Amino acid sequence: MSHYQYGAQVHANGIRQHYLRYGGRGPALVIVPGITSPAVTWGFVAERFGARFDTYVQDVRGRGLSQAGDDLDYGLDAQADDVAALIRALGLNDVTVLGHSMGGRIAIRMARRHPDLPLARLILADPPVSGPGRRPYPANLPWYVDSIRAAVHGMDADAMREFCPTWTEQQLRLRAQWLHTCDERAVVQSFEDFQRDDIHRDLPRVTVPTLLMGAGRGDVVTDADADEVLSLLPDARFTRVENAGHMLPWDDEEGFYRACGDFLGCPI
């Protein structure tokens, strides 16, 4: 039985925000995807969380069905304010925010800028820990730009396999279908902001229990990175999903759910 409820839009933080809702019961959980992941691509994860949580997946501005445009601010502060405004617009309380990759950085900035939000927990799934004076995020911008342009032109799963060779046919089809909705300008700015924004300065002001999750087969969050983050976060723990690369639930879905469930205190 599917836990999908509906997709909807709200006007929050001055823009149109689109989201998908799953479950409809239990504590509130908001998923903030990464740099080129429209909400629909996290549907399989939201289905699983929807069995126990009232789950919302946001289309980050410039992605999916949320507002995009040349005049839109795609900076981290605006993205963080979007999540806070979405939570308020939906009237959610005691919210767990799960941010993957870029979404993890958004969650950190959101918690710092909006200390009055009714947050319960944060889950930071393999967030880039790059910033001024730090090692760069270990990915290449042309990979994102080239794949987006191919999707805008029109591509199928076979063409997408060139960019994501380990993904399943279903995953490739979904990405090929939706990647064209990722605004190139938004993606380029977000990628470049990985090196410009200093999220480490935000960490001491994140006061809710936080799980930092790293990929066992990736180098986005090293052990040294995790140690530094934990030294700055007042209430945090670290875990690795040993059999996953950066796209954690795509690579090791059950390992990802176990890590989340251990932190949330219930099986996912």
Side-chain angles (χ1 to χ4, degrees):
M1 182 185 78
S2 174
H3 295 288
Y4 176 71
Q5 297 284 301
Y6 56 80
Q9 302 183 61
V10 295
H11 191 81
N13 195 32
I15 68 165
R16 184 191 71 251
Q17 295 195 48
H18 176 259
Y19 65 91
L20 303 175
R21 188 181 186 186
Y22 293 77
R25 296 181 180 181
L29 183 141
V30 174
I31 297 174
V32 185
I35 189 168
T36 54
S37 294
V40 67
T41 64
W42 275 78
F44 72 104
V45 176
E47 283 278 10
R48 188 74 166 252
F49 276 96
R52 290 186 174 270
F53 291 87
D54 187 12
T55 303
Y56 301 80
V57 193
Q58 180 202 34
D59 265 329
V60 178
R61 59 171 58 201
R63 285 85 172 171
L65 300 181
S66 284
Q67 189 167 331
D70 291 342
D71 59 342
L72 211 59
D73 178 2
Y74 291 116
L76 183 58
D77 286 351
Q79 293 170 331
D81 292 349
D82 284 349
V83 181
L86 179 66
I87 289 170
R88 292 189 177 107
L90 296 176
L92 305 180
N93 290 291
D94 297 322
V95 185
T96 295
V97 175
L98 189 168
H100 172 248
S101 191
M102 178 190 74
R105 291 171 67 91
I106 294 171
I108 292 168
R109 182 60 56 87
M110 175 206 66
R112 194 268 289 174
R113 284 175 63 86
H114 299 275
D116 58 328
L117 268 182
L119 294 178
R121 307 173 191 83
L122 297 182
I123 299 175
L124 311 175
D126 219 35
V129 290
S130 47
R134 297 179 177 276
R135 67 183 177 88
Y137 177 53
N140 297 312
L141 181 58
W143 183 89
Y144 296 100
V145 172
D146 291 349
S147 60
I148 290 169
R149 290 178 180 177
V152 168
H153 178 74
M155 68 190 310
D156 58 14
D158 287 338
M160 184 59 72
R161 187 172 286 109
E162 176 185 345
F163 297 94
C164 306
T166 65
W167 287 25
T168 67
E169 185 75 11
Q170 182 178 8
Q171 291 166 350
L172 292 167
R173 286 184 182 278
L174 194 61
R175 187 167 178 82
Q177 180 185 0
W178 282 91
L179 185 60
H180 76 93
T181 69
C182 294
D183 185 279
E184 183 178 324
R185 177 171 171 261
V187 171
V188 170
Q189 180 169 346
S190 292
F191 186 92
E192 292 177 346
D193 282 350
F194 288 167
Q195 206 60 43
R196 292 190 288 239
D197 288 307
D198 187 358
I199 60 166
H200 290 78
R201 295 180 62 182
D202 299 332
L203 292 172
R205 295 173 63 183
V206 176
T207 59
V208 297
T210 300
L211 175 65
L212 174 64
M213 188 183 301
R217 294 192 286 104
D219 55 356
V220 173
V221 179
T222 67
D223 288 342
D225 294 329
D227 288 342
E228 182 180 12
V229 170
L230 295 183
S231 74
L232 295 170
L233 271 172
D235 186 2
R237 68 170 87 167
F238 176 64
T239 190
R240 283 205 181 278
V241 182
E242 292 297 342
N243 294 319
H246 181 59
M247 300 299 289
L248 298 160
W250 278 256
D251 297 332
D252 184 3
E253 190 173 357
E254 294 305 318
F256 174 75
Y257 296 139
R258 281 194 300 273
C260 292
D262 288 346
F263 177 65
L264 296 171
C266 62
I268 303 299

